[in-house]
Amino acid sequence: MNSPTTKPKLARRISGLLLTFYGVGTIIGAGIYVLIGKIAEEAGHYAPYSFLLSAIVVSFSAYSYAQLSRRFPVSAGEPAYVQEAFNNQTLAAVVGWGILLTGVVSAATISRGALGYINVFIAVDTLTGLLIIVAGLTYIATLNVLKAVGVAVIITIIELLGIAIILAVGVPAMDSNALPFHTSAPAPEISGILAGAFLAFYAYIGFEDMVNMAEEVKSPETAMPMAIGAALIISTVLYICVAVVAVTALPIESLAKSDAPFADLVAHTGAFPVSAITLISLIAVINGALVQIIMGARVLYGMGKRQLAPALMATVHKRRYTPVIATVAVGLTVFIFAVAFPLKTLAEITASIVLLVFICVNASQSAIAYQQGPHYSYRVWIPALGVLLSAGFLSVQWI
């Protein structure tokens, strides 16, 4: 606790297990509940390969995040890493604003994705629906961090339940002839798999958000790397399993056009109430926006502490011990982006910015490891490969 004469600080209340669940909840969400149809539209029956390719690209960056979060367990992690590696305030500021923009655009993407599931229950205009969603999530994000993260973890459990239901009802409905590795499956198109992988990359965005909770995590030096690794592995396994079921249990044409793919999959099988899976999907999607708002607020808070953003953003509420002003600022910006851009555009913008940030973070880990020596250690070349893979992935999309 802080005395009345000291400035309030963030409180360390999050355990390693809670952080892992938070990470899984951050990663899983719109990427599988909303974008699976868009990914199938690009990659067809080979959508599972798109998820696998994205996981490989992401794993190198995840290694760098795990190493750097262990060494520098602070909020606004990415700009802190860049500043430590290159001693460049301007570059650190650019990276910080980039990751903050990522969180904002990602939350906007997810909020728009939630509308597809809301409209299954009741027709609501876009402006009203987005206002209710974003305002409600922003309020939750201002609460005591244990309460806010606790809500996110509870919703994560609901997300996992939804995925379990999809696998349970989808597996019996699978058409084995449509499996990507079946001899009767259509020949793969590399361009389609790559395009799908770029969209699937959005589904992995989230593990990097975990490092921005470092100042509220108990024993972050050990908890952060383990939680990042565990969250990424769990998410990859679930993504590939769901992708295989989705592209074989539902016609690709129907899956590609769907705004609520899980609801349509259940309706196609008739094995589970559509309203129930729609509600679960809606909760799961909204959770992604919640954790992005929480993360964005911590980035803005950390940047305020480092004079990379207005000092007002580093203000901590005296009773809640959360950056309330930064949270409200992030929530307002999320609403503006959600109203202004369509779903697919938001996802592509997010993925592009994250790849640029990944390049900087991997370069930071490689530079710090090089300075420490030995110069040809895996601590140098793994992040160096992460730079190349992220740059290559980004160039494919631009081309």
Side-chain angles (χ1 to χ4, degrees), residues 252-276:
I252 292 295
E253 296 77 15
S254 300
L255 185 61
K257 295 176 182 177
S258 177
D259 291 324
F262 275 26
D264 288 346
L265 179 57
V266 168
H268 181 73
T269 63
F272 193 80
V274 175
S275 58

Side-chain angles (χ1 to χ4, degrees), residues 9 53 60 84 88 163 194 204 235 277 343 362 364 396:
K9 297 180 180 179
L53 178 57
F60 289 87
E84 292 290 341
N88 189 315
I163 289 177
L194 288 174
Y204 287 98
S235 300
I277 194 63
L343 177 65
N362 281 311
S364 298
V396 167

Side-chain angles (χ1 to χ4, degrees), residues 238-309:
L238 291 176
Y239 279 162
I240 292 176
C241 290
V242 170
V244 169
V245 169
V247 300
T248 55
L250 197 66
I252 292 295
E253 296 77 15
S254 300
L255 185 61
K257 295 176 182 177
S258 177
D259 291 324
F262 275 26
D264 288 346
L265 179 57
V266 168
H268 181 73
T269 63
F272 193 80
V274 175
S275 58
I277 194 63
T278 301
L279 180 60
I280 291 173
S281 301
L282 175 60
I283 293 171
V285 171
I286 287 177
N287 185 48
L290 172 60
V291 294
Q292 290 294 336
I293 292 173
I294 293 173
M295 178 280 297
R298 269 59 182 183
V299 173
L300 193 53
Y301 160 83
M303 291 177 65
K305 286 178 62 178
R306 288 177 168 263
Q307 291 80 51
L308 301 176

Side-chain angles (χ1 to χ4, degrees), residues 31-33 35-41 43-53 163 166-167 170-171 174-175 178-181 196-197 200 203-204 235-252 255 261-262 265:
I32 195 70
Y33 277 86
L35 288 179
I36 179 66
K38 306 301 181 185
I39 295 167
E41 183 179 9
H45 291 88
Y46 293 87
Y49 292 166
S50 292
F51 279 104
L52 180 59
L53 178 57
I163 289 177
I166 287 299
L167 294 177
V171 168
M174 289 173 58
D175 177 6
L179 288 169
F181 45 79
Y204 287 98
S235 300
T236 298
V237 171
L238 291 176
Y239 279 162
I240 292 176
C241 290
V242 170
V244 169
V245 169
V247 300
T248 55
L250 197 66
I252 292 295
L255 185 61
F262 275 26
L265 179 57

Side-chain angles (χ1 to χ4, degrees), residues 197-391:
F198 188 82
L199 280 176
F201 176 82
Y202 175 82
Y204 287 98
I205 293 174
F207 76 87
E208 77 283 359
D209 297 346
M210 298 166 69
V211 305
N212 293 301
M213 304 301 294
E215 291 185 30
E216 294 162 281
V217 173
K218 302 173 184 176
S219 305
E221 294 81 3
T222 55
M224 294 300 305
M226 292 181 63
I228 289 172
L232 192 60
I233 291 171
I234 292 169
S235 300
T236 298
V237 171
L238 291 176
Y239 279 162
I240 292 176
C241 290
V242 170
V244 169
V245 169
V247 300
T248 55
L250 197 66
I252 292 295
E253 296 77 15
S254 300
L255 185 61
K257 295 176 182 177
S258 177
D259 291 324
F262 275 26
D264 288 346
L265 179 57
V266 168
H268 181 73
T269 63
F272 193 80
V274 175
S275 58
I277 194 63
T278 301
L279 180 60
I280 291 173
S281 301
L282 175 60
I283 293 171
V285 171
I286 287 177
N287 185 48
L290 172 60
V291 294
Q292 290 294 336
I293 292 173
I294 293 173
M295 178 280 297
R298 269 59 182 183
V299 173
L300 193 53
Y301 160 83
M303 291 177 65
K305 286 178 62 178
R306 288 177 168 263
Q307 291 80 51
L308 301 176
L312 181 65
M313 297 302 162
T315 304
V316 175
H317 195 276
K318 292 181 178 179
R319 292 189 302 275
R320 298 182 180 182
Y321 297 99
T322 55
V324 172
I325 295 176
T327 304
V328 173
V330 169
L332 180 60
T333 311
V334 167
F335 175 73
I336 293 171
F337 271 83
V339 171
F341 297 100
L343 177 65
K344 190 172 181 179
T345 300
L346 287 168
E348 290 174 344
I349 291 172
T350 305
S352 295
I353 298 171
V354 170
L355 282 167
L356 289 171
V357 172
F358 280 5
I359 290 171
C360 294
V361 170
N362 281 311
S364 298
Q365 167 59 20
S366 188
I368 290 172
Y370 184 85
Q371 292 163 12
Q372 294 174 333
H375 296 165
Y376 299 101
S377 161
Y378 67 92
R379 291 186 176 88
V380 175
W381 65 260
I382 288 180
L385 283 175
V387 171
L388 294 176
L389 284 172
S390 297

